[in-house]
Amino acid sequence: MTRAEARERNRRALLDAAFQVVSRDGYRAKLDEIAERADLTTGAIYSLFGSKNGLVVALVADYLRPYYEDVEQAVPAGLDLLEAVDAFARYYRRSCDAPDALSGLSLQITLLDMALHDPDLGSQLATSIRSQETLLIELFSGRSHNGGVVTAHQAQRLTTALRALFVGLSQGVTLGLAPGADEQFFADTARALASDMSLIDHDADTS
């Protein structure tokens, strides 16, 4: 095994261990337990991630990356804005039925708690998540809508609104608090939101 391969193996082992420990213990998660689960030392954590917060931020990016990559396949080019929003909503709803949906929700709630206890970590997490959401902004930008083309600024506003909508709905579905919130419901609510041009018409040039 080359040094690069060993480094990537150790990185993967630490991220997998961190997912288990952080999801369970939140801000109380201990680096020595994470290292032990990965069969490594805490020195490996500092070498690869710099700090506990660095590990947590890397964990979130690692967890979200496959999701954002799959979205590009779920929402093909050539669709207008409402069609794209519809496809995205249906994809998001299907993710609520994935085997890891409950553990994902647990991690999400735990990270919110950690961010409240550590503002610096909260700032780092926000920056990481915004960088991931750039993919969604690019996904919606340039699509046709009501005779025009969606700008990057409009797509950014829409992405923020859709994220808030789907986070709330998906939590309700996973916890059994949103009966009847099937794919069609997700699609209908997302289309209604995107159709409200007062939300996305305020481009940077008119603000």
Side-chain angles (χ1 to χ4, degrees):
M1 182 179 295
T2 66
R3 179 174 297 183
E5 289 171 337
R7 184 179 178 86
E8 180 56 31
R9 180 201 61 186
N10 293 345
R11 181 179 179 279
R12 181 74 264 156
L14 286 169
L15 287 172
D16 291 342
F19 181 88
Q20 299 299 321
V21 178
V22 171
S23 294
R24 185 193 68 201
D25 298 340
Y27 68 93
R28 299 181 183 87
K30 302 297 185 183
L31 289 184
D32 54 356
E33 182 179 355
I34 293 172
E36 183 179 354
R37 280 176 175 257
D39 198 24
L40 294 165
T41 66
T42 54
I45 295 176
Y46 288 106
S47 174
L48 288 166
F49 302 103
S51 65
K52 179 179 178 180
N53 282 0
L55 173 59
V56 173
V57 172
L59 169 63
V60 173
D62 182 73
Y63 182 79
L64 290 177
R65 186 175 297 109
Y67 161 77
Y68 282 110
E69 290 174 350
D70 289 345
V71 166
E72 294 186 79
Q73 298 182 5
V75 186
L79 303 180
D80 66 24
L81 178 64
L82 293 187
E83 291 170 336
V85 166
D86 188 293
F88 176 55
R90 293 177 185 278
Y91 166 79
Y92 207 109
R93 176 59 181 85
R94 290 193 296 272
S95 71
C96 297
D97 298 325
D100 65 346
L102 192 58
S103 60
L105 176 58
S106 176
L107 178 63
Q108 182 184 116
I109 294 173
T110 297
L111 290 170
L112 288 173
D113 184 53
M114 293 178 73
L116 289 174
H117 282 85
D118 187 341
D120 181 60
L121 173 60
S123 177
Q124 292 180 56
L125 288 174
T127 298
S128 176
I129 292 172
R130 281 196 299 268
S131 70
Q132 297 280 338
E133 288 185 347
T134 299
L135 294 174
L136 291 182
I137 295 171
E138 293 174 351
L139 190 70
F140 293 128
S141 296
R143 295 186 185 271
S144 60
H145 185 58
N146 282 357
V149 175
V150 178
T151 67
H153 180 71
Q154 291 170 336
Q156 189 253 331
R157 288 169 60 87
L158 177 61
T159 295
T160 298
L162 287 174
R163 176 172 53 82
L165 172 66
F166 290 149
V167 166
L169 282 176
S170 62
Q171 289 178 356
V173 170
T174 305
L175 294 173
L177 301 175
D182 55 11
E183 273 192 38
Q184 190 61 51
F185 183 85
F186 269 58
D188 288 345
T189 54
R191 275 178 169 266
L193 188 154
S195 295
D196 184 359
M197 290 303 292
S198 66
L199 172 72
I200 66 172
D201 259 353
H202 293 76
D203 208 340
D205 294 337
T206 63
S207 59

